[in-house]
Amino acid sequence: MVSASLRVIHSLPCLLLSRNLLVVCTAVCLLTSAGCGKKDATTAGSSEKTATATSQVTDSSSNETTKGSVTPAESATAESATTETTASNASAENPSVEETALLSAPPLGPLPEVPVPADNPITQAKVDLGRILFFDNRLSGDAGTSCASCHDPRLGWGDGQAISRGYAGTQHWRNSQTTVNSAFFSKLFWAGEVPSLEAQAKSAITGNLAGNGDTVMIEERLALIPEYVTRFKEAFGVSEPTFDLVLKAIASFERVEMISRDSPFDGYLAGDIDALSDDAKKGLALFKGKARCIACHNGPLMSDEDYHFLNLPENKLFEKDPLRQVALRYQHYIRGVPEEVYRNADSDLGLYYTTKQESDRGRFRTPSLRYLEYTAPYMHNGVFGTVEDVIEFYDQGGGDDPSQSPLIKPLNLTEDEKFELAEFLYSLSGSEIRIQTPKLPEYQAVFD
Amino acid sequence: MSRFFGTLTVLLVFAAGVVKAQGEPRPLGGLPSLGEKLEPAQVDLGRQLFFDPRLSGDATISCATCHSPDHGWADGLALSRGYPGTRYFRNTPTVVNAALGRLMYWDGRLPASDLPTVVRDHISEAHFLQADGRLVIERMRQVPEYERQFNDAFGGEPTYGRILNSVAAFVSSLTSQGVPFDKFLAGDEAAISDEAKQGLELFKGKAGCIQCHDGAMLSDGKFHSLGLNANPEIFKDPLRHITFRRFFRTLGVPDYALMRQDAGLYCVTKVKHDRELVRTPTLREVSRTAPYMHDGQLPTLEAVVSFYNSGGGPRASKDERLKPLGLSEDEQSALVEFLKTLSGKPIEVTRPKLPAYQLRKLGDN
């Protein structure tokens, strides 16, 4: 049903919007427009709706969902990108999967307010407590590993390794993802195994290849650290620290202090046309058009939070490091795959571990692209060391595995276009988030 | 058990008049033999695993870290060290003769008849080895030499059950050998000194040790309080106190945060009068396993004898039979001499060379 003519219409509200907004001259207003939302249901009718919304733009609050948000600069560039897409596909009567994906992609935009779960409202006391806990190695079994061991502020809040180091005596089997902007995800970990930062922290602290912590031991350790007892009381009104509250404090810290929204692209979205170089602007057009990145890397977070099989090259570490092999088999074992799958385990099965569906083998949740300047290497297995490597992979269109995502196809980008795309990707990183490592409070005997 | 009865011993005990309402002590006897026949291949494999730190979560400590042949298969410490990042709050007992006792741990929470479960408890507990058994299996599978040994010992690949069974088999194989007192019981009068013989008489008579340290294992397998106050080190050291609190909390002791004494048997039974009662340990190998008592607060056998001679500790939970004994210095020495006859030849093993991880063919699991 989606035709070339509809695509042209689709660009109209954006045009109208941009003109209005130029008049209104607002910067970072998060205008929610249902019309430009996830579904490509934008029709002529929605332009009216959008225009109405635009007239109220100064009143629009920033706490609404922004899956469909449009901002001045974004809408301005959306015009050219859409035009380009339209032009290149104008002859197609029946849109392909990737065309549909492009059309239905929620537009890029500034990050919304951080979502906060109803049962864990943010307070400064929680944030301050969570910051200390994040660096406290006593949350791990042998008190040798903290969250910051693999989410190191000096390494983009990842660990700079292709595949993470893991707990002492083990080696992990996946790349350590940055915790920056993780607060915006509704699914955490590479295969979206858990639904919240709190649940992510729980898995990381207790996982045998990560923190290997015992929850009751952790609670008892904290109970004998007077400063923590005081801080938990201040933050949560409890007389003794609990593991559940440890998770809530860490999540609160991440929601407040690990947010990056000051990238050049954010400046551009806010109306500063000069925030992006000309190359980056061309890269943005490619991102939304010829290179089709936006099919998955869309919305303010630049992730569709969906699962895709990219048919990536395997990381050879699994052939070279016995402990990586241990970790890979262990993952198969503990996730309860059928024995035959365990016996043949030779790669990370991604979403399959959760669903046990053949079609989910090797599918991983789309990561955000924000902050990527600091988070190399890339991909769930860290197989690409640079942004350029990643672009090269996508340009070649993956391999010949029939189950590879249909969105992955050769792009035929020129060298200039690859450069421009990289320039755009680099514009997605703001200033580096560095904090002073907190001083850890000490144990103290409680009896005289 | 009748073969361990010595009529003479029985007569001596009764003549001494120390048997009170608590029931008559069983006579001392020679070391029992193991009920089961051990498979040598399992024992050999278990020996390697016993020394292999890959059975712990962070692969830094093994069973032998706390049960070291250099310290009578204990650790020579008052209080056990525990898993890295923790410190334990009780003394490490020897594993020698462990399979011959009735119950395990100072609170007797597991039966000695099920050593594989005791091994499992050690591997998985947060204060011991803090390892996920499934991870241990995969580590074993990454060692071709182990894969071969498991196949030899069990006819298959490493499984958690086989890991536990082989370690248990090795532990079961650790029994006293050439114990002077056993030779004496078997009729070799010269096996122990005259002083030790005098000590034996005191043990069964004036000192009353046999009231609890009876039978072939020199333990009644029951629970008593000696009236000792807890070793203050437990509460001075937050790490020990943390482990103490966590342990009693996980076992369901409600007042774990306020407790200043080891709950002892209470943590198993939750019966009020079981508070502070701990299991009578065997005295076999006792001269090699200092320091003594469940929290290691008595450094030497002399100190232990002196402690009993003075009538035990101050706590109200104390067993009513503990009274000042009025032993002379010579008598105390004689008692110590007797206790020393309960240890066999040192059980020495060559620390096994541990087979290394090797790469496997990926996808051929």
Side-chain angles (χ1 to χ4, degrees):
Chain A
M1 288 299 292
V2 182
S3 64
S5 62
L6 182 55
R7 257 175 258 130
V8 174
I9 293 168
H10 179 254
S11 67
L12 280 174
C14 298
L15 273 168
L16 291 170
L17 184 62
S18 65
R19 284 176 187 159
N20 284 332
L21 282 169
L22 283 171
V23 175
V24 175
C25 256
T26 53
V28 193
C29 265
L30 303 178
L31 171 60
T32 301
S33 160
C36 290
K38 188 163 185 168
K39 311 279 183 206
D40 58 331
T42 309
T43 62
S46 73
S47 65
E48 185 184 351
K49 194 174 178 182
T50 309
T52 307
T54 306
S55 67
Q56 298 168 347
V57 70
T58 48
D59 299 328
S60 71
S61 65
S62 57
N63 62 355
E64 292 181 76
T65 173
T66 55
K67 263 290 184 188
S69 70
V70 178
T71 59
E74 162 64 355
S75 55
T77 53
E79 176 198 355
S80 58
T82 308
T83 304
E84 185 177 336
T85 307
T86 305
S88 64
N89 294 308
S91 60
E93 284 302 314
N94 297 309
S96 63
V97 174
E98 63 270 24
E99 288 167 31
T100 307
L102 287 188
L103 288 170
S104 62
L108 308 178
L111 287 169
E113 288 291 299
V114 173
V116 179
D119 67 345
N120 190 19
I122 287 172
T123 65
Q124 191 58 44
K126 288 186 198 177
V127 173
D128 292 341
L129 172 57
R131 187 187 312 111
I132 304 173
L133 291 168
F134 193 88
F135 286 86
D136 198 326
N137 47 21
R138 290 167 292 193
L139 298 187
S140 71
D142 66 356
T145 303
S146 72
C147 307
S149 299
C150 299
H151 301 286
D152 186 334
R154 296 165 300 182
L155 299 166
W157 298 85
D159 69 359
Q161 305 289 313
I163 303 182
S164 183
R165 48 162 269 185
Y167 185 70
T170 75
Q171 295 284 344
H172 207 270
W173 79 104
R174 281 180 185 161
N175 175 271
S176 173
Q177 297 185 93
T178 182
T179 45
V180 171
N181 289 338
S182 58
F184 294 99
F185 278 101
S186 63
K187 301 162 182 160
L188 281 299
F189 292 124
W190 277 107
E193 284 92 345
V194 298
S196 68
L197 288 181
E198 286 84 352
Q200 188 278 336
K202 180 182 181 182
S203 292
I205 292 170
T206 61
N208 300 95
L209 301 182
N212 196 34
D214 177 89
T215 59
V216 185
M217 187 72 85
I218 290 165
E219 289 181 354
E220 293 305 326
R221 283 176 179 165
L222 299 177
L224 265 68
I225 301 171
E227 183 181 331
Y228 274 135
V229 174
T230 304
R231 285 183 177 275
F232 273 86
K233 188 174 180 61
E234 285 170 6
F236 298 103
V238 293
S239 58
E240 286 212 337
T242 70
F243 184 64
D244 186 47
L245 298 178
V246 168
L247 308 178
K248 287 184 168 176
I250 291 174
S252 297
F253 163 59
E254 291 170 326
R255 286 187 183 112
V256 172
E257 297 197 0
M258 290 195 201
I259 306 301
S260 171
R261 51 165 102 240
D262 64 346
S263 69
F265 182 56
D266 285 308
Y268 179 73
L269 289 173
D272 178 3
I273 299 292
D274 296 330
L276 292 191
S277 68
D278 288 344
D279 282 335
K281 286 173 192 160
K282 289 179 193 165
L284 169 59
L286 290 163
F287 187 92
K288 297 191 286 188
K290 184 176 176 184
R292 293 200 298 272
C293 314
I294 202 170
C296 300
H297 294 284
N298 54 42
L301 190 53
M302 310 187 92
S303 165
D304 60 359
E305 291 210 62
D306 204 350
Y307 304 92
H308 305 279
F309 174 51
L310 304 184
N311 198 12
L312 287 170
E314 294 293 343
N315 189 317
K316 298 292 181 194
L317 261 184
F318 289 101
E319 293 173 19
K320 294 175 182 168
D321 183 344
L323 282 177
R324 307 287 181 188
Q325 297 186 340
V326 167
L328 186 62
R329 283 199 312 279
Y330 176 73
Q331 168 70 0
H332 280 68
Y333 188 11
I334 64 170
R335 297 302 299 276
V337 304
E339 178 169 358
E340 188 191 348
V341 175
Y342 166 85
R343 293 291 174 195
N344 299 317
D346 61 359
S347 70
D348 188 339
L349 299 182
L351 183 61
Y352 173 88
Y353 294 121
T354 303
T355 65
K356 315 294 189 292
Q357 297 294 311
E358 285 298 320
S359 56
D360 289 336
R361 274 180 181 254
R363 294 176 70 195
F364 293 88
R365 188 218 56 184
T366 309
S368 175
L369 298 178
R370 291 172 170 277
Y371 210 66
L372 63 68
E373 179 179 346
Y374 310 107
T375 63
Y378 304 105
M379 306 306 185
H380 72 273
N381 58 2
V383 74
F384 297 134
T386 65
V387 169
E388 288 73 17
D389 290 344
V390 177
I391 291 173
E392 193 60 40
F393 166 78
Y394 283 116
D395 185 51
Q396 290 177 13
D400 51 9
D401 189 321
S403 55
Q404 172 179 306
S405 167
L407 297 170
I408 310 292
K409 285 184 176 162
L411 301 174
N412 301 315
L413 299 174
T414 66
E415 290 305 307
D416 281 352
E417 287 172 331
K418 290 176 193 172
F419 176 81
E420 290 154 5
L421 197 50
E423 284 299 293
F424 171 64
L425 292 176
Y426 284 123
S427 81
L428 300 172
S429 303
S431 53
E432 197 171 5
I433 299 174
R434 297 291 287 268
I435 65 172
Q436 189 163 11
T437 305
K439 187 175 182 309
L440 299 180
E442 290 176 1
Y443 290 124
Q444 214 172 92
V446 292
F447 292 157
D448 304 332
Chain B
M1 294 298 268
S2 62
R3 69 192 170 100
F4 301 119
F5 266 77
T7 312
L8 181 64
T9 314
V10 174
L11 287 175
L12 282 169
V13 170
F14 278 98
V18 295
V19 179
K20 301 269 172 64
Q22 301 274 345
E24 297 166 10
R26 299 161 299 161
L28 306 180
L31 187 71
S33 57
L34 207 58
E36 57 180 323
K37 191 175 177 316
L38 300 173
E39 290 289 335
Q42 294 179 13
V43 173
D44 290 344
L45 173 57
R47 184 183 305 109
Q48 298 225 23
L49 297 179
F50 191 88
F51 286 90
D52 196 328
R54 289 169 291 196
L55 266 62
S56 67
D58 65 357
T60 58
I61 61 171
S62 70
C63 309
T65 302
C66 296
H67 299 286
S68 164
D70 302 334
H71 297 283
W73 299 83
D75 58 7
L77 302 170
L79 298 166
S80 180
R81 51 161 284 173
Y83 186 70
T86 77
R87 288 197 199 112
Y88 202 48
F89 60 95
R90 283 176 180 165
N91 175 265
T92 305
T94 181
V95 290
V96 175
N97 301 323
L100 303 173
R102 190 170 80 85
L103 295 169
M104 302 293 288
Y105 299 113
W106 287 103
D107 51 34
R109 64 185 181 275
L110 288 175
S113 58
D114 185 8
L115 280 187
T117 293
V118 177
V119 175
R120 194 264 300 145
D121 190 61
H122 279 78
I123 292 176
S124 60
E125 260 293 357
H127 48 247
F128 291 149
L129 298 188
Q130 175 67 346
D132 181 345
R134 299 167 299 183
L135 179 58
V136 175
I137 295 169
E138 296 305 338
R139 284 177 175 166
M140 298 293 106
R141 297 208 63 208
Q142 202 66 38
V143 181
E145 174 63 15
Y146 274 143
E147 288 240 293
R148 187 188 64 72
Q149 288 190 40
F150 275 91
N151 200 49
D152 289 350
F154 295 101
E157 66 189 8
T159 67
Y160 202 27
R162 287 166 179 165
I163 291 167
L164 305 181
N165 285 336
S166 53
V167 175
F170 170 65
V171 170
S172 297
S173 77
L174 297 173
T175 55
S176 296
Q177 307 292 326
V179 181
F181 179 60
D182 289 336
K183 292 180 184 168
F184 173 74
L185 286 177
D188 181 358
E189 285 286 331
I192 65 175
S193 68
D194 287 345
E195 192 183 10
K197 288 172 195 165
Q198 185 199 347
L200 168 60
E201 295 313 308
L202 291 162
F203 187 93
K204 296 185 289 189
K206 182 177 177 183
C209 314
I210 199 170
Q211 293 173 97
C212 297
H213 293 283
D214 69 345
M217 294 308 294
L218 296 98
S219 166
D220 60 1
K222 294 175 183 166
F223 298 82
H224 309 280
S225 166
L226 305 181
L228 283 164
N229 273 312
N231 185 336
E233 290 303 316
I234 296 169
F235 306 108
K236 274 189 208 162
D237 181 345
L239 283 184
R240 297 203 191 280
H241 193 191
I242 286 164
T243 310
F244 175 98
R245 286 166 53 118
R246 178 197 169 274
F247 177 83
F248 291 112
R249 181 179 160 191
T250 55
L251 285 176
V253 175
D255 57 335
Y256 68 91
L258 305 174
M259 279 165 38
R260 292 169 187 250
Q261 302 295 328
D262 192 319
L265 179 62
Y266 175 84
C267 74
V268 179
T269 63
K270 315 299 188 295
V271 174
K272 199 175 172 186
H273 64 248
D274 288 340
R275 283 239 180 214
E276 301 177 25
L277 308 189
V278 295
R279 183 181 57 86
T280 309
T282 179
L283 296 179
R284 291 184 170 277
E285 301 292 323
V286 73
S287 63
R288 296 214 169 82
T289 62
Y292 300 105
M293 304 309 178
H294 68 276
D295 57 11
Q297 58 181 283
L298 300 179
T300 61
L301 286 178
E302 287 76 8
V304 173
V305 170
S306 172
F307 166 78
Y308 282 114
N309 190 42
S310 64
R315 295 196 56 75
S317 60
K318 183 169 75 174
D319 191 300
E320 61 180 12
R321 292 169 296 174
L322 288 177
K323 297 268 165 50
L325 300 173
L327 299 175
S328 68
E329 290 295 317
D330 283 351
E331 286 174 327
Q332 293 184 53
S333 293
L335 208 43
V336 169
E337 281 308 299
F338 167 65
L339 292 173
K340 289 179 180 169
T341 70
L342 298 171
S343 301
K345 293 175 291 194
I347 302 173
E348 288 166 355
V349 300
T350 309
R351 284 178 183 264
K353 188 173 182 310
L354 297 177
Y357 288 127
Q358 304 286 342
L359 285 171
R360 296 181 63 111
K361 184 170 180 295
L362 203 54
D364 182 14
N365 304 319

